[in-house]
Amino acid sequence: MPTVTTTATLADVTASDAALRRYLHGLPGVDAVGLEARAASLGTRSIKTTAKAYALDLALSMIDLTTLEGADTPGKVRSLCAKAARPDPSDRTAPRSAAVCVYPDMVGTAREALTAAGAPEVKVASVATAFPAGRAALPVKLADARDAVAAGADEIDMVIDRGAFLSGRYMAVFEEIRAVREVCARSEGEPAHLKVIFENGELATYDNIRRASWLAMLAGADFIKTSTGKTGVNATPANTLLMLEAVRDFRAATDTQVGVKPAGGIRTAKDAVKYLVLVAETVGADWLSPEWFRFGASSLLNDLLMQRQKLSTGRYSGPDYVTVD
């Protein structure tokens, strides 16, 4: 386990690009075969009846409902917010979503819609920093995040500069995360939480995912997130397991807890339960809440509602039981 233990050593690790590089490249190498085997093994666990009902509701409460398209309209965002506030209009016991995630220019619309729906506890998240590619100058990225925070975003999902990371310019990535974190600290009220997106498919190796996890956490990330959902490789059980191990070890080393968000490719209740098992077996009950674990998977909500209704009534609903996004 890495040995960052005090504020002083944290400062030492991030004192220079060379120190940060030494630290990140000194992290234990990832046993890819062992990691994938453990993820596959945990994926075979099954849960029944009462435990399954609990898992379905927990997964519902962890979803960040997302619309991130060029064709997004205020009407589409309002519709998504209505769904987050009342996932199943026929069943008031269905948990609300954790958040609605939109582009910065739609934050105000989302905030107004959730307030009107009587669901102010549903967070408004916003992607920023030239999402999804992250290819923009730092002032542009900071302006992007600043606009979202000013409009009332509770959470900022930023993408790292993968080009800088892959070329070994770790301090540039570290400083960019720190700069966005400063933007998240509002002059009034609670700061916006910062989720840092790696785009694991582009990082290519498990060692890079581990390094990115520690880099983001050292820079002050509140959450680490697998992917944008805009590439061919998104969340997988193995890369999520690796990130869960990283947040576990980071808390043991620094007494600071960081959340994890797998995003992209999680579409069924069965998938969601597998991820919840990963959380329970790797980091434990402390992370089994929307405060510390999220799903970036809008299409997942519909299957969870279908499975929830099947568990309650013994039969599947018709195809018009849930809305199609």
Side-chain angles (χ1 to χ4, degrees):
M1 182 186 300
T3 56
V4 177
T5 55
T6 66
T7 302
T9 53
L10 277 171
D12 292 341
V13 165
T14 59
S16 67
D17 194 46
L20 187 56
R21 177 188 300 275
R22 277 195 305 273
Y23 183 79
L24 294 177
H25 283 266
L27 294 171
V30 178
D31 174 3
V33 174
L35 177 75
E36 291 173 0
R38 177 162 172 75
S41 174
L42 291 173
T44 64
R45 304 278 178 88
S46 62
I47 60 174
K48 305 295 183 184
T49 59
T50 303
K52 184 175 182 180
Y54 170 77
L56 293 175
D57 278 5
L58 182 59
L60 274 172
S61 75
M62 292 173 163
I63 292 176
D64 286 3
L65 276 182
T66 303
T67 184
L68 298 170
E69 304 297 335
D72 285 345
T73 63
K76 184 177 181 181
V77 170
R78 292 188 190 101
S79 178
L80 197 71
C81 290
K83 191 168 184 178
R86 288 285 302 279
D88 184 348
S90 70
D91 185 354
R92 290 182 176 273
T93 69
R96 288 172 167 164
S97 300
V100 169
C101 186
V102 294
Y103 277 114
D105 63 317
M106 290 292 177
V107 168
T109 298
R111 170 56 61 212
E112 291 172 4
L114 289 168
T115 300
E121 71 274 23
V122 176
K123 306 298 185 186
V124 177
S126 181
V127 295
T129 65
F131 178 94
R135 311 304 302 178
L138 181 57
V140 174
K141 294 180 179 182
L142 295 181
D144 199 25
R146 193 174 292 114
D147 285 349
V149 172
D154 302 296
E155 301 170 354
I156 295 296
D157 290 30
M158 71 166 287
V159 289
I160 65 167
D161 183 337
R162 279 87 77 192
F165 180 89
L166 290 169
S167 62
R169 292 186 288 122
Y170 300 129
M171 185 56 71
V173 179
F174 176 88
E175 290 176 344
E176 188 166 284
I177 295 170
R178 296 285 285 205
V180 177
R181 183 172 176 80
E182 289 179 9
V183 168
C184 289
R186 317 173 197 271
S187 57
E188 296 181 3
E190 291 292 318
H193 281 196
L194 177 61
K195 304 195 200 88
V196 178
I197 310 170
F198 302 148
E199 202 68 283
N200 284 346
E202 293 184 356
L203 296 190
T205 70
Y206 289 131
D207 284 340
N208 276 340
I209 294 170
R210 175 170 280 171
R211 289 171 189 145
S213 297
W214 277 82
L215 174 59
M217 292 187 293
L218 288 166
D222 296 300
F223 260 77
I224 52 176
K225 179 177 170 181
T226 60
S227 37
T228 64
K230 301 292 188 181
T231 61
V233 178
N234 295 295
T236 68
N239 65 36
T240 303
L241 173 59
L242 178 56
M243 291 166 65
L244 287 166
E245 291 175 346
V247 299
R248 175 198 64 198
D249 294 346
F250 188 77
R251 188 175 75 166
T254 67
D255 201 31
T256 299
Q257 188 163 336
V258 176
V260 175
K261 179 179 173 180
I266 306 169
R267 296 185 176 87
T268 68
K270 187 176 181 180
D271 290 337
V273 169
K274 288 180 180 180
Y275 278 88
L276 293 179
V277 170
L278 287 180
V279 175
E281 293 292 331
T282 308
V283 292
D286 285 355
W287 270 267
L288 282 172
S289 79
E291 185 178 1
W292 301 110
F293 193 78
R294 299 281 183 85
F295 291 109
S298 290
S299 60
L300 170 63
L301 184 141
N302 287 351
D303 193 58
L304 287 169
L305 291 176
M306 295 282 283
Q307 297 301 326
R308 191 176 186 273
Q309 201 259 359
K310 168 67 163 54
L311 201 62
S312 173
T313 67
R315 63 183 183 277
Y316 285 107
S317 300
D320 58 350
Y321 177 68
V322 293
T323 58
V324 177
D325 297 319

